[in-house]
Amino acid sequence: MQLLRQVLQDEYRLAFARSGTEALARVREALPDLIVLDVMMPGMTGHDVLRLLKANPATAAIPVLFCTALDADEDEAAGLALGAVDYVAKPISPPVLRARIRNHLALVQRDEVERTRLEIIRRLGRAAEFKDNETGRHVIRMSHFSRLIALELGAPRPWAERLLPAAPMHDIGKIGVPDAILLKPGKLDEAEWAVMRQHPQMGADIIGDDPSPLLRMARQIALQHHEKWDGSGYPHGVRGEAISTEARIVAVADVFDALTSARPYKPAWPREQAIAWLREQSGRHFWPDAVEALLRRLDDIWAVREAWRDDAHA
């Protein structure tokens, strides 16, 4: 511990414990960014401490680096199998230890930035729904529908998982539509429709040209989710495969949930009526492959609807 203090005190705030029991208590108090843990300790071993840390949701995500004299391959494998992020053998090399700690703390910071960015994106999606007098459960449902459709179509799982946070941004452009138009109870006139048809481009402009794969996907969805397979959609009247895959998928997911949900201006359609309309519009409004994928996963999609009903208690 004295050596670790000398090696690390100039760069980090440190807290020490002399046993596993004391370590668990200190971790619960301080919730450190990283834990350096020995294996052979009085009473409770480092492996025991790690198991308890991982069993507690409040401490499970804290990275643990083992620093120990047990340097056999099987010892290292055992520690990593329990969830340690790294394994440094004694005698300690100060430059190696500092480099390992620096790298793992950088990963912690990157994960926190990504988590925060995802949360901001989700909340922006909710903001658009609140302005449009719809429920936040709609964006949850349609994003899960989109993921299921993508997986059924054979999309790589990371790409399909990216749809979950990207799809809720589809209507973010409605933030720029005046309330008098967005919340009008009757039909829109031609001038009002001209304004409403601007919301996909507004959404793309709000999201911008960030290089993040997630935000690039969200931008394409916002821009093209009202384009139609036959070219009769808006804002640019693109057709077929010129529409991005993610927008083609989200268009089907979004409309299916809207049809089967009650709104102030309409009752919920029965499931079979909504299915019949999707089939009728396949090849016209919708990408046929996406419609068929939704129908093949209909049981799973309906289970999502039941789990996130608008009338369910929070």
Side-chain angles (χ1 to χ4, degrees):
M1 287 196 294
Q2 288 299 327
L3 177 58
L4 289 174
R5 186 187 300 276
Q6 293 171 15
V7 170
L8 302 174
Q9 65 184 353
D10 291 340
E11 297 182 61
Y12 305 107
R13 288 177 296 148
L14 306 175
F16 293 90
R18 295 181 176 275
S19 70
T21 302
E22 184 183 353
L24 291 168
R26 297 299 300 274
V27 167
R28 285 192 294 268
E29 292 170 3
L31 290 178
D33 294 320
L34 183 140
I35 298 167
V36 180
L37 187 62
D38 205 338
V39 175
M40 296 183 293
M41 299 188 296
M44 189 183 300
T45 70
H47 289 169
D48 296 331
V49 173
L50 182 54
R51 288 188 186 95
L52 292 170
L53 289 170
K54 292 299 179 185
N56 183 347
T59 59
I62 301 173
V64 173
L65 183 154
F66 276 126
C67 182
T68 178
L70 299 174
D71 58 357
D73 289 346
E74 57 267 26
D75 296 317
E76 181 174 355
L80 297 175
L82 289 171
V85 298
D86 211 338
Y87 202 95
V88 176
K90 297 178 183 179
I92 296 169
S93 166
V96 169
L97 181 62
R98 280 194 293 263
R100 299 279 184 88
I101 288 176
R102 201 159 39 239
N103 288 344
H104 289 295
L105 287 176
L107 290 173
V108 169
Q109 185 177 34
R110 187 192 69 183
D111 290 346
E112 177 60 19
V113 168
E114 182 64 17
R115 187 197 66 79
T116 302
R117 181 168 62 178
L118 286 171
E119 191 58 31
I120 290 171
I121 288 170
R122 291 189 185 103
R123 290 175 188 274
L124 280 172
R126 290 288 304 280
E129 295 301 318
F130 281 122
K131 182 174 172 63
D132 196 20
N133 199 28
E134 293 189 14
T135 73
R137 291 175 182 261
H138 166 67
V139 295
I140 294 171
R141 292 191 301 260
M142 58 82 66
S143 62
H144 281 282
F145 295 176
S146 299
R147 171 184 169 274
L148 288 167
I149 293 169
L151 291 172
E152 182 63 26
L153 288 167
R157 183 166 289 275
W159 191 92
E161 296 295 342
R162 200 176 298 145
L163 276 171
L164 275 172
M169 296 286 282
H170 66 295
D171 270 340
I172 189 65
K174 286 183 176 179
I175 289 174
V177 177
D179 286 352
I181 295 175
L182 192 64
L183 304 179
K184 183 178 177 179
K187 290 185 177 181
L188 301 181
D189 62 30
E190 189 53 41
E192 291 166 336
W193 260 117
V195 174
M196 179 64 83
R197 285 194 290 266
Q198 295 175 19
H199 85 265
Q201 185 64 58
M202 291 178 185
D205 293 342
I206 288 170
I207 296 169
D209 293 318
D210 192 276
S212 156
L214 172 59
L215 290 177
R216 286 203 306 269
M217 176 182 278
R219 185 181 189 280
Q220 286 297 103
I221 291 169
L223 180 63
Q224 295 187 325
H225 71 285
H226 282 297
E227 300 289 3
K228 295 183 180 180
W229 185 252
D230 65 4
S232 64
Y234 64 89
H236 301 303
V238 295
R239 68 172 62 231
E241 293 185 359
I243 306 168
S244 67
T245 303
E246 51 266 42
R248 288 181 253 158
I249 290 172
V250 166
V252 176
D254 183 34
V255 171
F256 183 71
D257 187 69
L259 292 176
T260 54
S261 299
R263 292 290 180 264
Y265 51 85
K266 74 166 190 70
W269 286 21
R271 181 167 74 168
E272 292 308 316
Q273 182 182 356
I275 291 169
W277 192 83
L278 286 185
R279 287 193 167 118
E280 177 190 330
Q281 293 296 316
S282 180
R284 297 162 64 186
H285 187 149
F286 302 116
W287 179 28
D289 290 358
V291 172
E292 292 305 314
L294 180 145
L295 296 177
R296 290 195 298 270
R297 296 299 295 268
L298 193 58
D299 288 345
D300 294 328
I301 283 171
W302 208 254
V304 171
R305 276 203 56 80
E306 289 301 301
W308 293 99
R309 296 195 319 271
D310 289 331
D311 59 353
H313 295 294

